[in-house]
Amino acid sequence: MTDKVYVENHCKKDDAEFKARLESELGHPVIIIPWTMHGDFDAKDTDKYGHSDGFIKWCGDNHILMCNHGDEYPEEATDIKMNLRCMSLK
């Protein structure tokens, strides 16, 4: 999930209690990746939803496929990779 989930649920980023509640409800560990809205909220091509499936896809075991987000936003792509590596994902 993207860290937008904290904002949408009126929580502070990195709220451990909220994350634990998410994991309990979903029955799985939750990996939080950073998200930033780029562009005008009302523009058709602006990702205002912050869904992680637009950035990454689990490919089995500990492998993640990441889109080419780094071509346009290299710093964000690096942050996402760091978060994934902290969870022992490749």
Side-chain angles (χ1 to χ4, degrees):
M1 291 185 173
T2 64
D3 57 11
K4 185 180 179 196
V5 69
Y6 292 109
V7 174
E8 294 287 322
N9 287 280
H10 311 289
C11 297
K12 292 182 180 180
K13 284 190 178 181
D14 299 325
D15 182 328
E17 184 178 319
F18 175 72
K19 186 178 178 199
R21 202 171 44 209
L22 268 178
E23 292 176 333
S24 175
E25 290 293 321
L26 296 173
H28 293 282
V30 173
I31 299 168
I32 304 293
I33 62 171
W35 174 83
T36 303
M37 185 178 75
H38 298 280
D40 181 355
F41 184 84
D42 295 321
K44 288 183 181 182
D45 62 344
T46 298
D47 173 20
K48 53 189 143 266
Y49 304 108
H51 293 187
S52 59
D53 59 357
F55 295 101
I56 59 174
K57 178 173 177 41
W58 178 69
C59 296
D61 296 323
N62 64 336
H63 291 86
I64 299 290
L65 176 67
M66 185 171 163
C67 72
N68 62 347
H69 191 66
D71 291 351
E72 197 164 346
Y73 305 107
E75 288 180 23
E76 285 180 28
T78 298
D79 288 345
I80 291 169
K81 287 179 198 175
M82 286 176 40
N83 284 15
L84 295 172
R85 287 187 182 134
C86 286
M87 300 295 292
S88 299
L89 297 167
K90 300 178 186 178

